[in-house]
Structure formats: C-alpha cells, structure tokens
Amino acid sequence: MRQSQIFLFFVLFLVLSGRFLAQSVRWDPPGGQLGFNQVSQLSLVFEDCEPDGDPRLPPVDGLQFGQPSQSSQTSIVNFKMSRTFSFVFPVRPNKRAPVIIPPFDIKTDKGTLKVPGVRYTVGDAPVGNSGLTINDIASATLEVPKKSVWAGEVFPVTFTMSVVHRYLSSVDPRIDWPSQPLIAEDWSKPDPVQTTVQGERRWLATSTTRAYAKEPGIFSTKPASLMVGIVVGTSGFGLFANPNVEARQLESNPLELTVKPLPPAPPEFTGAVGTFAFTSKVVPLTAAVGEPVTWTLELTGTGNWPDLAGLPQREVSNDFQVVQPKSKRTMKEGTLFDGTLTEDVVLVPTKAGTYRLPPVRFSYFDPASGTYKTVASEPVTVTITAASAPILPPASSGAPVQFSLNPTTTAPTPSLPAAVTPVPPENLPREQLEKSATGFAPIALRRLVLTCVLSVVLVPLLLWLTLAALRSRERDPQRTRREALAALRKTLAELRGSGAQHPAFSVPLRRWQQHTATLWQIPHAAPGAPLVHASIQRHSLNATAWTKLWEEADRALHGRDAALPQDWLLRAEGALQAVKIPGWNPFSLFAGRNLLPFLSGLLVVFVLAAPSEIRADTATDAYRRGDFPAATAAWQQSVKATPTDWAARHNLGLALAQQDRWAEAAAHWTSAFLHNARADTTRYDLTLGIQRSGLANPQLVELSRGEGRYKVARLATPGEWQLALVGAALLLAAALVLLLLQGYRRIGGWGKPTALTATLVAIVLAGAATFSLHAYGQLAQPGAVFVWRATTLRSIPTEADTAQKTSPLSAGSIAVVEKTFFGWTKLNFPGGQSGWVRSEELIGLYR
C-alpha cells in the first residue's frame, strides 16, 4: 500500500513538473537580420500561459516598437494539447548597429516568467527581389542657404525627397523633424514634380519651413524623415495584379549650423532680430478737454516674434488720463515669424494747452547688414482747447486704467495679466492633529437598505428642488436690480467717508453711476439726462429726483467745478430708501421653465425622448398661449444649437413677427428659404417678410418672385446646387471611365453612347448649378449674414476714433463675414468693399 502511494505521488510530480516546464515566453524569430528603417514584425509568444495585463518591455536602443496586435492558437498533437498567445509588435530599427533586447521578467496567469534576451543584426533591407536598397532608389536631404547665421535670425530650411518613379506608391506629407534647439514653423505642403535623372524618371518633392536659434553656438540637429510607400513586387496576374507595397522611412542628413552671437547692443535694444517697420499715429491732433485722443503704435515685419515682449514705452504728461487696452498681436496665418503688433492708447486730456508727444524709438538687429538699426516716430504736437460743456467719459469695453507715464513723477502702472502661469509648489506633509477624530462603524443590513431607499428617493428630490430654486433665482428678472440696490447702499456709505472734494469721490461716484444704470436698466454706457429720465420713469414715479442726482454727479466728475452739492448724499440716500424691488418668489421654482430641464433629463433616461423635441414642444406651447417672448427665446436656443433647422427658423420668424420685429423675422425667414427653397411655406415667408419689413433687397425680391434666372435658381438651395455640381463632376468622371474602357475594348459597344449621354447630362447639370449659384451670389457663401438694422460701416473696429472713414449701412444688406474681433465683425460686400460693424446688428443665415 505504501509503495503504490509513493508511485502515484512520483507520477503526479512528473506530470505537474512537465506542465510547469512547458510554460515559457520567448521572442519569435529568436534572432536574424532586420532592415534599417524597414517595418518588420516581432512576436512575443506565450506558450501554455497568458499575459497578466499589458506587457512592459525594456527600453531597446535603436529599435522602435509600435502598437501590438494579438493572436492565439490551440493545437493537439499525439493527444497532447498546447496553447500559444502572441503579441505581434511592428518594429523599425533606426540605427545601423546590432539591436539587443535584454532579458526581462513578465507576469502571466501562471506566475512570473523570464523572457530570454535576443540579438538582431541591422542591415540595408532590399527592395523586393531587385537587389537594391532603399538608398539606391530614394534619397532625402535637409539644406539651408548658408551654414552660419546670427542668433535670432530667421532662415529658410528645405527638405527634398527624390524617389525612382516606378517604385513610388504613396507619400505621407507629414515630415518629422525634431528641430531642437531651433524654433521652426510647420512644413509647407510637398510640391511633387517629375524629372529625369541619368535617363530614369524620378519624383521630386520639396517642402520648406523657416527657423531660428535663440542662443549662439555650433549645433547639429537630428535628421528629418517621412514615410513613403515603396512597390516591392506584385501579386496576382493580368487585370487582377496588385502591387505589394511596403512602408519605408526616408531619412535626411542632420543639419549642421553655426550660430553667431550678436554684437554689443545699444541700450534700447529689446531682442528683436529681423526686418521691421515701425509707425506711430495720433488722431485727432486738436481736441477739447475730455475728448479722447488715440495714440497708435504699430510694429510689422519678419523676425523672431516669439521672443518679442512688446512695444517701447511712451511718455505722456500727467495732464492726461490714460485708457490702455491690451496689445493686439496678429500673426500671418500659418506662420510664426510674420506678424503685426498694435497698441492703441486713449488719452483723455484734463487741462487745456499745447502738449508735445515725444518720438518713440525701436531698435532691432538687421541680420542682412549685420548691424543694429533704430527707427523713430516723428514728434507730435497736440492742441487741447477748453471744453465748452461737460463731457461724458468715453465708453470702453472695460473699466479705465488711470495712470501717468511722466518719467519725472512716480506713477502707478496698470495691472496686466501675467504672461506665464506660476507653477504651484509640491505638496508637503501637513501638521499633526492634536484632537482625536472618530469615524463611523458599519450599520445593520436592514437599516442600510432603508437608508439607501430613502436616499434614492429623497436626495434626488431635494437636489432637484435645490437646482430648480437656483435656476429660478438666476432667471429672476429682478435679481440684478436687487444686487445693484445693495451695491448702491455700500457706495453711498463709501462716498460719505471719502469727503465731498474731487478726486476723493471720483471712483465711488463712478461706481454709483454704474450701479444706478443697472438698477434702472439704462441701456447705454454713458447716457444723457433725457435717457436717464426715460429709463427711470418706467420703474418709478421719482424719476425727476434721480435725474437731478445723475446730472449733478456728471457735473462733479467732468465739469470745471468738481464738487458735489452739500445735500447730495442726503437726497441720494432718501431716493434710494424709496426704491422698492420685489424679492424672490420661492414658489417660482415650481414653474415649468425651472423644473423642465431636470424633468426632461428624467424623460431622456426613461422614455428616450429627444431634447430637441421637448424644446420644440415648450416653444410651441408658449406660442399657442400667446407668450411670444418665451417662444422666441426657446426657438433662438434651437436655432443656436442647430442653425440649419429651417423649421426652427420659420417658427422663430413667426414669434418675432407677432412682436412686430419684422426685420429680424425677415432675416430668419431668408435663412429658412436658403435651407429649403422649394417649400411653399418658406417662399411665402420670404415674400411676407420683405413686404412687412420694408427691406427691399433687390436680390431677395427677385428670389421671392421667382422670375427669370431666379426661377431656375430657387428649384434648389445653394447647398443642394453645390451637391449637384459635385454629382456632375462624378458623372463626368464616370463617362471618362467608360470611354477609356471602350478604347481598351474592355466593354461592349454600348459604352460610347452611354458615356456621351452621361457627359451631356453632366454638362447640363453643371451649367444649371453654376448658373444658380451665381444667381444666389453672396447668399451661397457659408459666412453670409443679414444686416437686420441700419447701422454704420467703419474702417476700423472702434467707436473712439472719430477721424476714421465711415459709411451708412442699410438694413436688409447681405454680406459675408471675414473675421470677428471683440464684438465686432468685418464684412465683405460685392465689389471688394469691406468694413466693421457691431456683431449684434447681424443675423447669420447658415451659422
């Protein structure tokens, strides 16, 4: 009995040890040769085991690993089953030296196993069976015009690729060039041409970029490379022959460069290297006290723009208040080294007299001549006359920054945003806790279930009501007025403590005007007395008292006698105490507009209802009950989310028309027509909008009538005509294919008449599409906008420069957006005219 147990244990040990010894992880192939810059495959094979997680390979010098694929295989030989699992890695050697993958440990489902190391030699990979290497049929070079440049000098870099024509299948236009320590632009798109070299046709492709080095020294950059598809043979035969293509990397020579240090610089040099132009402009040269004077500096040119910090400082008398916005840097599209830096400073004179604005100097290093150059603006004399009446402060996009630039007087400087975000310090261990702190012990299962059930019901309900209350408070139309009322109380207390003499009260008094404008919802940044009286009269019977307070505040801020009346504070506090604003109504949280967003979210989860349909139903309900402003707001959200929804545009136009906002309705109905020109509804809307708004745009009038060439044009929308033009091109291409097949006798005699018919159809369709798109004109542009209100077209995007050229712009005009800038939009019109208008005067027809 004991001998049989020993024998059974011995057999079991052999079986288990055999299974254990059979588990291994190895590389396949275990050695051999890899082609330089050729993509090959190496498999990490797991025998009778599987990996525990993703494999972590050791770093291998000279070998790049790609993203692996996976495969598995099970085999049975002589009643013995074996399983293998493999990670197949694409690899590419990037050095002409042997590659060694060292041994390493890897985790498997059978424990940690060791992968033995392998060694591969690297040689030139032949191209198919031709016996040629990649260097025999292709080459790449990296060149610069000169090997020595100045520090900061921008110079061109050229990458040239040459491949024998019969071996080239495709080219990846992305050039990989680690340009450090150079700063370089993106490469241009390769420009391929065919040429003949030693009697053999070759493809030549050239890409260019520009770069510069910050520091002097002798540098050698890494080579540039790109991937090409090389034909290494064919598979199949006859018509079914297909080329076999391999991806190969072409690598250029490294770029050797000597960067010379700049000679000793003058004191005013700030680091600019290149070719620059510097201009200064002051408008107007004669102004009254309180009227703005704009001083513009502009720097343009080619150079090391990434290293330029800003424009030179300017000196101005303390008799000016300064409103200085941020500098505007505009780079030429797709470049790093061609740009313009502009800075507008608005000077508000406080005293009459004649002032001299000294010249501004800018120094830069010219690499072409190897010398420093200094350009200076001409000195300008500005004449300030006495103000004949109190002048309101100029409107600006932000609060004015008041400071003096006089070099003889210490003056505060405006706070500017930091150019670099500071890096926070690393976390450190905190101090010990002096008092004990206990946690919560587990609770019984029944209590846990009850708590979970109550949490599932009560917590979402409370959160829902809380969010609805927050939404109700945010949308309360009286919220901003209540906040302004509280701010006015604090401001009056501050005014009482500051005294009654200028300039101690100027800052709080300006805040008083700002909060008063918010309280009475005055729609202007710098209103006059009639507008103040009209705005306050809509809310209060005490409009006369508030208007008088406003006039006295204006007179104290901008008049010659800079003082407030003795009883001004008492009258202001009395007028403020008489203001009564209704508080927030807690029951408003149960309104549908506040509960609906969360209710719609629940409906999405449980019944998969589309949010757009819920918004449409909400807008429709509001329209049906006569709440046209609510319907307008809802449909505006739908149009903003989906600008191409012509039904929403139609509905929005209806809601606007019910409020006698016919111009805006005509704009949205025009957009609806441009998205569905065949519908009777959109055609009727367009005609109605033109009639009721009085905006008789000739092109829209002809489209609404549908006569002459517009009868054909409105058979489809501009987008549909563009698709028709694409379809015509495809049809013409198909006709050419049929003619080629007919010429090579690959098809029967039906090919030629079919091709001719298709060509005629394509020509007619293309002609109709081109004719119709020309009839639509600017309405066929994706950036087309509708000017719904008469406004002024300006040459520059500002209202402060009174000397700029302007032109009236009629309502109903159609234009195309070129670009936008801080609430301004630049428009292009037929004939090449362009200008800036406020963005709120426009309605996009497609966006």
Side-chain angles (χ1 to χ4, degrees):
M1 182 68 178
R2 183 176 179 80
Q3 292 178 350
S4 62
Q5 291 177 348
I6 294 174
F7 177 76
L8 180 61
F9 176 77
F10 180 72
V11 171
L12 182 62
F13 172 77
L14 290 178
V15 172
L16 293 177
S17 62
R19 288 180 58 85
F20 178 76
L21 293 175
Q23 297 159 1
S24 65
V25 185
R26 57 180 174 83
W27 288 103
D28 184 42
Q33 180 173 337
L34 300 176
F36 176 70
N37 270 336
Q38 181 184 17
V39 178
S40 306
Q41 290 185 344
L42 293 181
S43 299
L44 187 60
V45 182
F46 295 76
E47 293 187 347
D48 292 325
C49 61
E50 292 186 0
D52 184 8
D54 295 332
R56 301 183 61 181
L57 303 181
V60 181
D61 185 35
L63 188 66
Q64 294 182 353
F65 287 88
Q67 189 67 27
S69 59
Q70 300 179 11
S71 65
S72 60
Q73 183 178 0
T74 302
S75 61
I76 301 177
V77 180
N78 295 329
F79 302 101
K80 180 181 179 181
M81 184 176 68
S82 62
R83 296 180 297 109
T84 60
F85 181 91
S86 300
F87 281 110
V88 183
F89 291 89
V91 297
R92 183 175 62 83
N94 53 18
K95 290 185 178 180
R96 296 181 183 273
V99 173
I100 299 176
I101 304 179
F104 61 98
D105 294 331
I106 192 168
K107 293 183 179 181
T108 71
D109 59 346
K110 304 299 183 184
T112 302
L113 300 179
K114 181 174 286 295
V115 182
V118 292
R119 182 179 186 274
Y120 301 94
T121 60
V122 178
D124 290 331
V127 178
N129 298 322
S130 64
L132 302 174
T133 65
I134 187 65
N135 291 333
D136 296 327
I137 65 171
S139 63
T141 58
L142 200 61
E143 299 175 332
V144 291
K146 52 184 180 179
K147 298 296 184 181
S148 178
V149 296
W150 295 100
E153 177 183 357
V154 177
F155 56 89
V157 183
T158 303
F159 178 86
T160 304
M161 176 205 71
S162 175
V163 184
V164 175
H165 181 273
R166 67 176 182 273
Y167 286 101
L168 182 62
S169 173
S170 61
V171 177
D172 187 346
R174 295 169 297 181
I175 300 175
D176 181 21
W177 182 38
S179 61
Q180 294 79 7
L182 304 180
I183 297 176
E185 295 176 334
D186 293 336
W187 288 96
S188 64
K189 187 177 180 181
D191 185 17
V193 295
Q194 285 194 44
T195 186
T196 302
V197 179
Q198 296 180 353
E200 191 169 35
R201 285 195 305 163
R202 298 179 74 94
W203 274 108
L204 292 179
T206 302
S207 294
T208 58
T209 186
R210 293 183 297 176
Y212 78 94
K214 287 187 174 183
E215 302 296 335
I218 300 176
F219 302 107
S220 177
T221 69
K222 293 184 178 181
S225 61
L226 86 165
M227 300 299 294
V228 296
I230 299 297
V231 179
V232 298
T234 58
S235 60
F237 59 92
L239 293 176
F240 303 99
N242 294 312
N244 296 329
V245 179
E246 289 184 359
R248 299 290 183 92
Q249 176 174 286
L250 295 185
E251 193 172 89
S252 73
N253 55 292
L255 187 62
E256 306 288 343
L257 197 64
T258 300
V259 181
K260 299 178 292 185
L262 299 180
E268 60 270 15
F269 179 67
T270 58
V273 179
T275 304
F276 297 93
F278 185 63
T279 59
S280 174
K281 179 182 178 182
V282 178
V283 177
L285 297 178
T286 301
V289 172
E291 293 182 353
V293 177
T294 303
W295 189 1
T296 302
L297 293 184
E298 183 177 83
L299 178 68
T300 60
T302 301
N304 57 337
W305 279 95
D307 294 340
L308 298 186
L311 293 173
Q313 295 182 353
R314 284 172 269 191
E315 299 177 359
V316 184
S317 170
N318 284 330
D319 294 340
F320 290 91
Q321 292 182 349
V322 182
V323 181
Q324 182 172 5
K326 289 183 179 180
S327 298
K328 177 186 175 184
R329 179 177 297 208
T330 305
M331 304 304 298
K332 185 178 179 181
E333 185 176 358
T335 68
L336 290 177
F337 310 131
D338 297 318
T340 301
L341 182 60
T342 306
E343 185 180 80
D344 290 331
V345 174
V346 178
L347 308 176
V348 181
T350 60
K351 295 182 180 179
T354 301
Y355 297 89
R356 181 179 181 271
L357 302 181
V360 182
R361 292 178 173 84
F362 179 79
S363 295
Y364 65 95
F365 181 78
D366 183 8
S369 61
T371 59
Y372 290 94
K373 294 184 178 181
T374 300
V375 291
S377 63
E378 295 294 331
V380 178
T381 300
V382 179
T383 303
I384 305 300
T385 60
S388 57
I391 303 297
L392 295 178
S396 62
S397 58
V401 182
Q402 298 184 2
F403 62 99
S404 172
L405 297 177
N406 193 325
T408 62
T409 306
T410 302
T413 58
S415 59
L416 297 177
V420 180
T421 303
V423 179
E426 295 183 357
N427 294 331
L428 297 176
R430 296 184 177 181
E431 297 181 357
Q432 72 277 6
L433 299 176
E434 300 294 341
K435 298 181 180 180
S436 62
T438 59
F440 292 97
I443 61 177
L445 180 60
R446 180 179 299 176
R447 185 179 298 177
L448 177 63
V449 172
L450 180 61
T451 304
C452 292
V453 172
L454 292 177
S455 300
V456 169
V457 176
L458 293 179
V459 172
L461 181 60
L462 292 176
L463 179 61
W464 184 9
L465 295 177
T466 302
L467 293 175
L470 293 175
R471 184 182 180 88
S472 173
R473 291 183 66 89
E474 291 174 356
R475 296 196 168 194
D476 185 6
Q478 302 297 331
R479 179 177 60 86
T480 56
R481 298 188 63 206
R482 288 194 297 270
E483 293 173 353
L485 187 65
L488 280 173
R489 294 192 180 99
K490 295 181 180 179
T491 303
L492 289 178
E494 186 178 353
L495 278 170
R496 183 171 292 280
S498 64
Q501 295 299 324
H502 191 80
F505 65 79
S506 61
V507 174
L509 193 57
R510 290 179 187 275
R511 286 203 298 268
W512 179 87
Q513 286 189 329
Q514 177 185 355
H515 298 320
T516 300
T518 304
L519 174 65
W520 300 117
Q521 297 176 343
I522 302 175
H524 200 279
L531 180 59
V532 172
H533 188 276
S535 300
I536 298 176
Q537 199 170 23
R538 293 198 303 265
H539 301 277
S540 173
L541 298 177
N542 199 16
T544 303
W546 280 96
T547 304
K548 186 175 181 182
L549 290 171
W550 185 280
E551 291 177 341
E552 292 171 347
D554 266 347
R555 193 177 302 111
L557 286 173
H558 310 292
R560 294 182 179 180
D561 186 12
L564 287 171
Q566 294 294 331
D567 62 337
W568 190 91
L569 278 175
L570 292 176
R571 288 187 286 113
E573 291 172 348
L576 190 63
Q577 291 176 358
V579 176
K580 303 298 181 182
I581 301 177
W584 172 66
N585 182 12
F587 294 100
S588 64
L589 68 90
F590 298 104
R593 63 180 180 275
N594 299 318
L595 290 174
L596 185 59
F598 312 105
L599 182 59
S600 65
L602 296 176
L603 292 176
V604 168
V605 174
F606 291 107
V607 301
L608 301 179
S612 59
E613 295 177 1
I614 295 174
R615 287 195 300 268
D617 292 342
T618 304
T620 302
D621 293 340
Y623 185 85
R624 289 174 177 173
R625 66 173 179 267
D627 191 358
F628 302 121
T632 299
W635 275 319
Q636 282 176 339
Q637 291 296 323
S638 298
V639 169
K640 183 177 181 181
T642 311
T644 56
D645 185 353
W646 69 269
R649 296 269 194 176
H650 161 75
N651 294 335
L652 178 56
L654 294 180
L656 292 168
Q658 293 289 352
Q659 304 170 69
D660 288 332
R661 297 163 63 179
W662 289 102
E664 296 168 82
H668 288 287
W669 284 338
T670 301
S671 176
F673 175 86
L674 294 175
H675 288 95
N676 189 347
R678 293 183 299 275
D680 293 335
T681 301
T682 59
R683 292 183 177 183
Y684 176 82
D685 288 343
L686 180 62
T687 304
L688 178 64
I690 293 174
Q691 292 175 351
R692 298 300 299 271
S693 66
L695 305 179
N697 184 289
Q699 193 174 17
L700 295 180
V701 172
E702 294 297 331
L703 280 172
S704 65
R705 293 175 179 175
E707 299 174 352
R709 59 175 181 168
Y710 294 96
K711 184 175 184 180
V712 177
R714 71 176 196 168
L715 291 176
T717 66
E720 292 169 345
W721 281 122
Q722 289 178 346
L723 291 178
L725 197 60
V726 174
L730 295 176
L731 192 61
L732 186 60
L736 293 176
V737 170
L738 289 177
L739 290 176
L740 287 173
L741 294 175
Q742 179 72 34
Y744 284 94
R745 301 184 183 279
R746 298 293 182 181
I747 58 177
W750 57 270
K752 183 176 294 185
T754 304
L756 293 178
T757 303
T759 302
L760 291 176
V761 173
I763 292 174
V764 172
L765 185 60
T770 305
F771 176 84
S772 299
L773 290 173
H774 183 267
Y776 276 106
Q778 288 195 313
L779 292 172
Q781 300 292 330
V785 292
F786 187 103
V787 182
W788 67 272
R789 182 168 56 189
T791 183
T792 301
L793 188 68
R794 302 179 182 272
S795 55
I796 57 176
T798 179
E799 295 175 345
D801 188 357
T802 57
Q804 65 171 306
K805 300 299 181 181
T806 61
S807 175
L809 183 60
S810 302
S813 301
I814 303 296
V816 177
V817 173
E818 179 181 337
K819 56 184 175 181
T820 59
F821 175 76
F822 290 106
W824 291 86
T825 300
K826 187 174 184 180
L827 301 179
N828 289 329
F829 296 85
Q833 185 183 6
S834 62
W836 295 85
V837 298
R838 284 289 187 182
S839 300
E840 58 263 24
E841 314 289 346
L842 309 174
I843 292 178
L845 298 178
Y846 296 99
R847 299 173 179 174

